Structure formats: C-alpha cells, structure tokens
Amino acid sequence: MATLEQNGNEVKGQPVWAMNQPELINSLGADSQNGLSEEEAESRLGCYGLNTLETKSKQGALRIFLNQFKSSIMLILLVATAISAFLGDWTDAIIIGIIIFASAVLSFFQEYHASQAAEKLKDSVAHKVSVKRGGQNLRIPSTELVPGDLLLLSAGSLVAADGIVLDSKDFFVNQASLTGETFPVEKEAGTISNDASLAQRNNMVFMGSNVHSGSASVLVTHTGMATVFGQTAHHLLLQPPETEFERGIRRLGSLLTEVMLVLVISIFVLNILVDKPVIDSLLFSIALAVGLTPQLLPAVISVNLSKGAKSMAEQGVIVRRLAAIENFGSMDLLCTDKTGTLTVGVVQLDHLYDPDGEEPDTIKELVWVNASFQTGMANPLDEAILRSLDLNDVKAQKIDEVPYDFIRKRLSVIADMERGRVLVCKGAFAEVLKTCTVVRSQNALQPLDAAWKEKLEGKFAEWSAQGYRVLALASLTITDGQVHFSKEDERGLCYEGSLLFMDPVKPGIAENLADLKALGVQIKVITGDNKLVAAHLAHSLGLADPVINTGDMIDQQSDQALPIIAEQTDIFAEVDPNEKERIILALQKRGHVVGYMGDGINDAPSLHAADVGISVENAVDVAREAADFVLLQQDLGVLEKGIREGRRTFANTLKYVFMSVSANFGNMFSVAGASLILPSCRSCPNKSY
C-alpha cells in the first residue's frame, strides 16, 4: 500500500487542488482507469479508518454536571463548606451545600444537550456510493471510501468525501451548505492557484455537497475528519469560548481568592503579634475569609438566568446556554447574513424593461409564456415571475422547449400566440445577448450594432451595481411551421428586454437597525453574495458610504492587521466559512462582544466562535445545536428584546454582587479590627462559649 501523508487539504505537503493529475495520482498510489483493487482498498480502510465524522467520546451527564463546579466562585464555596463542616458548623455547611447543588442542577439542565451537534453531522452523510474498483463499477457504503478511490458521481448524488475531478460533463454541484453560494457551481478538471479559497476550488468536490447536474469521475483525496466537512465537525467538538459574563465571574472569583489569601495571612500574623493563641488565630482568619464570600451568588445567577430564559422563551427565543444571556446585554456587534434576516428571503421580480426603459405588456406576455410552460427544474426565478404576473388569460399553446443547461445558461419555449409561433428565450444577459442580431425599440426592429450593445451592457452594469440579478429576454418569430427545436435554433433572435430580480429588505428593518444602534449594537453583514449585491443592500438599509471588503481581501491580511480592518468594515462579501470565523475572532481581539446569526452547516464554526451564537428554528440541525439561542422567527426585533432582557438580568446580578461583597467586606474588616482589641475565648472566665 502506498504511504499517504495527509494534512488538512494537503497531500505530501501540497494543496491537492494545485497539483497536476499525474502527480496527485502517483502521490495517492491510485489508478485513474480501473480504481483501487479490493485488497488495496481494504488495507487502506484499516489504515485510515471508516469514512465517518468520528468524534471524541461524548460527555456523559455526570461529566457535564461535574463541569458546573469548575468556576472559582464554586470552588471557594466548596472550600467554605468544608471549613464550616470542619469547624462543626453543620448548619452553614448544609445551607451552602444546598445552594451550590441547586445552582449546578439549574445550569446542567440548560447545557445537557449541547454535546449532540457532531452526531447530527454523522447522520447526514450515511448512504451508498458508486466507485470503480478493479475495473468494475460497484456500490459500497460511503463509510468504506478511502483515499485513492475512484468515485463516480451523477445528478442527484451526495458527495461522501473530498476529491479532485478527473473528468466531467456538464458537472454542477450544489455546495451551499459549505460555502453559502446560492446557485450550483460548475466543477471541471484542472489546477488552480495554491491560495484559492474554498469557493474558488472548482476542480474539487466536498463531502456534504450534492450533484445538481451532469456527471464526473472523482479521485478521493480526503475522507472522514480530514475533509472540509469533517473540519467543521471538529469545531463542534471544541468547548464554546468563555463568555464575557463568565470571564467577569472568574475574575471576581480570582479577586476574592487573592483578598481572602491576604486577609487570612494578615489577620493570622497580626493576631500572633498581639499574643493570641495560634490555633484560635488561624481558625478565626479562615472563618473571616469564608465570611467574605457571597455564598448566594451562584444561586442568584442561576435564578436570574433561568428567569431571563423563561422571559425570552415567551418572546420567541429559546435559550440553550444560560451564561450567554448575559452576553446579550453586553453585545455591541452583531454579525449576520443578509438572506432572511435583513431581507425577506424570497426572490421577487422587480422590473421588466424593454430596451427603451419602458415596461410594455408585450414583454410581460413573453416572460409569462416562458416561465409557465417550461418543464425543467423548478427555480426561484420562474416562481417569482409567476407570482408577479397573473396572466392566465393569455392565449398560448406550447409547441416545444429547449431546456435550460448550465453551459448555455438560457431556456427557450416555443408557443403559438396571438402574434403567431414564437420562440421565447430567457437567461443570463451575456448568453442571450450573443444570440441576438436585432433589438426591438419603439415597436420597430433595429440592428443590434455596437452602439446598442454598449447601451445594453451599460444598463446591465448599472443594475448589477444596484444589486439586481439581471436576466435577458429575446424572441424569434417562426414562419415555416417548424415544430421541433434545438439549441442551434437560438440564433438571429430579437432582444426584447431585461428582467430585474431582487430579494427585498424586510419591512421595518431600518427601524430595527436604528433601535439596535440606539442600544449600542452595530450590525456587520457577512455574506457569500458578490460585492455589487452587498453594496445595494447597504444603500437599501440607509448606509450612505458603506465600507465593503471581500473574502479575498480578508485572506490577504495578517492576523495583526485584520482586527483593525474588520472593525472599520460594514459589509463582508464573497466570504467562505473559515473567513467568517476569522472575522469574528478578529473583532473579538478589538474588545468587542460579538454576536453571530447563521442557519447553515457552514455557519457552525462561527456560531461557536462568537460570544453570542444565534440560529433559527428552521436552520439545519448542526447550526441549531451550535447556537446559544434559537429564534422561533428570524426577526431582529426579537433580538432587540433579547438584548434588553440580557441587560436586565445582568443588572440584577450586579446589584447582588455589589451589595453582598460590599457588605461582607465591611463586616469582615470590622470584625478583623475588633479581634485585635477583644480578648480571645481562651482568656475569658467562662470557657463554655
């Protein structure tokens, strides 16, 4: 068996997407024609293990419960309980013990299910795959895939491992779960630069994606936890970062510990200097130190957080991690995707313009015929057209269809209409424009010369800059009674107009953002959409001069420079999951308490990294499990209520801390001073007390 050296996305120290095919095949000890032999595959399976997202041993209920006692405050109280019991004060020992136990139980029940996220990932990739082994096509469980296997993919296949495309035909893959890209991406053989981002690796397929159309043979390079998908699962195994509130409680515990240590030593030494008995002085010093501790603090925190969780549940927010409620109160940055949060999340047809900038009914009829008669894959753009245009009374009869494909990027429907037999073509602007030789202007046909092309391309650029997705519409009148058509018939067309689609911003979102700003919370948009769409969104939200940066720019920045740039940026466009997480960590380095809102598998690392991870009810299981909060509705108004509730809970907790600690300090220092003056019990006539 060939010795394979795998590290992340590398084989023998090189990124697999940048290696030429012969070099990669040789490095993997593979056979691009016949695939691995059964014996070799079995040997490699023993070496690399099953192609599953193996996790560390799950934390049991007992371990999660014991973790509740790790905080310094809890440890101090446990010591206080032990000292009280040692001194024979069983009443105090029992009371403090009950408080500690009750606080731990409340926190335990809120966090018990948080360790299940990786299991959700494992379940999502259990299926069989087609491979070529020993020259034969076989169906095997996906768990038995190994590096070097020849994986055969076709439309509808789930991709069960990371690999390099060896050859393909019209091969498009939906990898939105990993990169957030809305539309399928074409994959083809070739090499790309070493520093290509995840979304730019068009010669690779990734575990967790699925084939939209076409077919391909893929050389498996990484399986299990070595895949990009597996690295996402690895993030879910990490402990969530310490919240700002937890840091505050830890610092308070550290401060109390230091004060108690100084107090014990000082009081003990001073009492010895004034000839107090050694044992009495030691016990008295320890008792004072214990009395300084706010014994009810864990209970107060747990009760406040539980009450806050109940109030937030009534507002449509499910709390999965109690300590994060406090972070709602101190959060000053919220990072979110635009789709469904800032926008409605439903594409709609905004405008239908002819070349002169008008919206005549004739164009609407052509668009409606194309969208209503096409029988290819369902897509949100045609659905938006049919929602927008209610033209069921149009008299038309379908004759034929030239289906959409990702090479032509257009779709043609041939129908008999009142004007005669017409081929109606709709698709990507550039692809439709190249089929046209004339343009319809003022109800007359004009040659599509250089001036017209410049004008149409200028409008396309203008609309794209405004964030619209622009499609073009063209037609051809059929005069010879032809009934069967192919893509070769899409020539000599007449340019009829342009379709502008938009995912509109939510009603009232500007007010929500203003309310959040009034609370001191700034919104930063992190999206996989292109820069032009992001710019349009910014203007729609009232940002006059937004600072927009792309994922490529993020990759080029050092860890020292990125925090400053991230803090000054309003919108991050064209980013992948790793870049999202890096942005959040950079903002935290600048002292911000960062919230992140996401609903996809690709959002899980960012949800873990953020101080406040927020997901929604209809999100994928992994995102929900990674989040601190789950919204029953994707609404920033709910978040505003959560922030107010977090601040209220935080304020109530601080009131007790200030009152308890200040009172205890005063009492303890008074008693400590008095101990230097008053005689010890051993010098009293009555030794019974």
Side-chain angles (χ1 to χ4, degrees):
M1 182 189 81
T3 301
L4 309 183
E5 300 175 8
Q6 291 183 297
N7 178 24
N9 291 308
E10 299 180 348
V11 171
K12 292 190 175 181
Q14 298 184 62
V16 294
W17 60 85
M19 299 173 68
N20 60 55
Q21 284 193 14
E23 180 186 7
L24 179 60
I25 291 170
N26 181 64
S27 297
L28 291 172
D31 184 338
S32 61
Q33 299 300 319
N34 300 312
L36 299 175
S37 66
E38 285 289 352
E39 294 77 14
E40 178 70 8
E42 185 176 350
S43 177
R44 294 191 181 196
L45 188 62
C47 176
Y48 292 101
L50 294 174
N51 177 34
T52 59
L53 302 181
E54 295 295 342
T55 64
K56 300 175 183 176
S57 57
K58 294 191 297 181
Q59 288 191 356
L62 178 61
R63 185 173 179 181
I64 294 175
F65 179 73
L66 293 177
N67 284 342
Q68 309 304 319
F69 299 92
K70 286 184 175 180
S71 72
S72 53
I73 292 290
M74 282 292 208
L75 293 176
I76 290 173
L77 292 179
L78 288 172
V79 172
T81 303
I83 292 174
S84 297
F86 176 76
L87 295 177
D89 191 351
W90 290 102
T91 301
D92 282 357
I94 291 172
I95 292 174
I96 298 174
I98 291 174
I99 292 171
I100 293 173
F101 182 78
S103 300
V105 168
L106 285 171
S107 297
F108 164 77
F109 279 113
Q110 290 290 329
E111 298 181 15
Y112 177 66
H113 296 291
S115 62
Q116 305 302 313
E119 292 301 313
K120 301 291 184 182
L121 280 174
K122 290 174 68 177
D123 295 340
S124 67
V125 293
H127 62 282
K128 287 192 173 184
V129 296
S130 296
V131 297
K132 197 168 189 177
R133 285 184 177 175
Q136 295 183 334
N137 293 349
L138 303 175
R139 292 278 293 173
I140 66 171
S142 63
T143 55
E144 297 179 8
L145 276 176
V146 294
D149 257 328
L150 197 59
L151 181 62
L152 306 178
L153 298 173
S154 58
S157 297
L158 294 176
V159 181
D162 288 2
I164 290 291
V165 177
L166 297 182
D167 59 74
S168 62
K169 181 179 180 182
D170 301 337
F171 186 54
F172 287 80
V173 174
N174 186 338
Q175 55 187 30
S177 61
L178 288 170
T179 63
E181 295 166 292
T182 304
F183 298 98
V185 178
E186 185 174 14
K187 302 285 187 175
E188 54 190 356
T191 59
I192 52 179
S193 63
N194 287 11
D195 58 355
S197 67
L198 189 67
Q200 294 172 334
R201 298 170 199 169
N202 290 333
N203 60 347
M204 284 195 74
V205 293
F206 305 101
M207 173 190 279
S209 59
N210 61 84
V211 180
H212 189 273
S213 62
S215 60
S217 60
V218 170
L219 179 63
V220 174
T221 59
H222 296 84
T223 59
M225 294 298 288
T227 63
V228 173
F229 200 75
Q231 292 166 21
T232 300
H234 172 72
H235 281 282
L236 300 179
L237 302 174
L238 304 177
Q239 288 293 327
E242 188 178 46
T243 67
E244 189 65 27
F245 176 69
E246 288 170 328
R247 282 192 286 271
I249 295 299
R250 176 172 55 79
R251 290 167 184 161
L252 174 62
S254 300
L255 175 63
L256 291 177
T257 302
E258 293 170 2
V259 171
M260 289 167 59
L261 184 61
V262 172
L263 185 63
V264 168
I265 296 174
S266 301
I267 297 300
F268 176 70
V269 170
L270 289 175
N271 274 270
I272 293 299
L273 292 177
V274 295
D275 294 327
K276 300 286 184 178
V278 175
I279 298 299
D280 284 357
S281 298
L282 178 61
L283 294 178
F284 177 73
S285 301
I286 294 174
L288 278 181
V290 171
L292 183 64
T293 307
Q295 288 92 347
L296 286 175
L297 181 59
V300 169
I301 291 174
S302 296
V303 170
N304 267 333
L305 294 179
S306 297
K307 183 176 180 296
K310 182 179 179 181
S311 299
M312 294 177 74
E314 294 172 354
Q315 303 292 339
V317 182
I318 305 302
V319 180
R320 300 192 65 258
R321 188 181 175 204
L322 278 179
I325 292 179
E326 306 284 0
N327 271 1
F328 251 135
S330 52
M331 180 173 66
D332 63 336
L333 279 179
L334 175 63
C335 298
T336 178
D337 192 5
K338 71 178 186 64
T339 305
T341 304
L342 303 178
T343 66
V344 175
V346 179
V347 177
Q348 73 176 32
L349 177 64
D350 268 19
H351 300 287
L352 273 172
Y353 291 129
D354 67 9
D356 299 313
E358 304 295 330
E359 299 191 42
D361 291 339
T362 52
I363 289 185
K364 295 179 182 179
E365 291 180 1
L366 292 173
V367 171
W368 184 87
V369 166
N370 181 281
S372 61
F373 286 160
Q374 73 94 11
T375 57
M377 60 183 183
N379 65 85
L381 300 179
D382 283 330
E383 292 171 0
I385 290 171
L386 297 178
R387 282 198 309 270
S388 177
L389 303 178
D390 184 14
L391 299 177
N392 292 318
D393 57 343
V394 172
K395 295 179 181 180
Q397 182 178 358
K398 181 179 177 180
I399 301 300
D400 198 8
E401 176 180 355
V402 184
Y404 180 89
D405 66 57
F406 288 98
I407 304 300
R408 294 165 37 250
K409 297 183 180 179
R410 55 183 183 262
L411 161 72
S412 293
V413 168
I414 299 87
D416 283 338
M417 304 176 63
E418 291 184 350
R419 66 173 74 179
R421 184 162 295 178
V422 182
L423 180 150
V424 184
C425 180
K426 176 181 93 269
F429 173 81
E431 297 300 322
V432 172
L433 187 64
K434 70 171 60 172
T435 68
C436 298
T437 56
V438 294
V439 59
R440 192 182 302 277
S441 176
Q442 303 297 327
N443 290 323
L445 300 183
Q446 300 181 14
L448 186 59
D449 55 18
W452 264 114
K453 283 187 177 181
E454 183 179 355
K455 178 179 179 180
L456 295 175
E457 289 171 350
K459 295 300 294 184
F460 172 76
E462 177 185 340
W463 291 324
S464 296
Q466 295 173 4
Y468 286 104
R469 177 174 172 80
V470 182
L471 298 186
L473 180 73
S475 71
L476 177 67
T477 301
I478 308 299
T479 58
D480 58 3
Q482 182 180 350
V483 294
H484 297 294
F485 295 81
S486 67
K487 59 185 180 183
E488 282 72 27
D489 294 304
E490 295 174 331
R491 61 178 185 271
L493 274 57
C494 171
Y495 193 92
E496 297 280 0
S498 305
L499 293 71
L500 278 62
F501 296 88
M502 177 64 68
D503 182 3
V505 297
K506 281 185 175 180
I509 194 66
E511 290 77 6
N512 290 148
L513 294 179
D515 292 339
L516 288 172
K517 185 176 180 180
L519 291 174
V521 180
Q522 181 184 357
I523 298 291
K524 290 186 182 293
V525 180
I526 303 180
T527 178
D529 283 336
N530 67 61
K531 188 174 182 178
L532 295 176
V533 174
H536 174 77
L537 172 69
H539 292 297
S540 299
L541 297 176
L543 299 176
D545 296 302
V547 178
I548 303 175
N549 281 306
T550 64
D552 288 340
M553 185 281 301
I554 299 299
D555 287 337
Q556 295 169 5
Q557 302 304 317
S558 66
D559 290 337
Q560 291 72 33
L562 183 58
I564 299 174
I565 294 174
E567 192 174 39
Q568 298 170 347
T569 302
D570 298 306
I571 297 180
F572 300 90
E574 304 170 25
V575 297
D576 64 29
N578 293 329
E579 291 162 349
K580 289 182 183 181
E581 183 182 17
R582 191 167 175 234
I583 291 167
I584 290 171
L585 295 175
L587 292 170
Q588 289 173 331
K589 288 181 181 178
R590 296 291 290 175
H592 296 288
V593 180
V594 183
Y596 180 80
M597 190 168 180
D599 58 6
I601 292 174
N602 57 309
D603 291 313
S606 301
L607 288 167
H608 263 281
D611 297 298
V612 183
I614 307 161
S615 192
V616 292
E617 186 181 26
N618 60 353
V620 298
D621 289 340
V622 175
R624 288 203 307 270
E625 293 295 335
D628 302 310
F629 301 90
V630 176
L631 306 185
L632 298 183
Q633 52 182 327
Q634 201 162 347
D635 185 359
L636 289 182
V638 174
L639 289 182
E640 179 197 345
K641 296 175 183 177
I643 292 171
R644 295 185 185 277
E645 187 62 44
R647 292 184 178 181
R648 185 180 300 109
T649 303
F650 185 67
N652 289 338
T653 304
L654 284 183
K655 288 176 185 177
Y656 171 76
V657 172
F658 291 149
M659 178 193 71
S660 175
V661 173
S662 61
N664 287 356
F665 261 89
N667 293 337
M668 294 306 103
F669 278 114
S670 298
V671 173
S675 70
L676 300 176
I677 302 173
L678 298 177
S680 67
C681 293
R682 295 182 185 276
S683 63
C684 295
N686 185 357
K687 303 289 182 69
S688 62
Y689 68 96

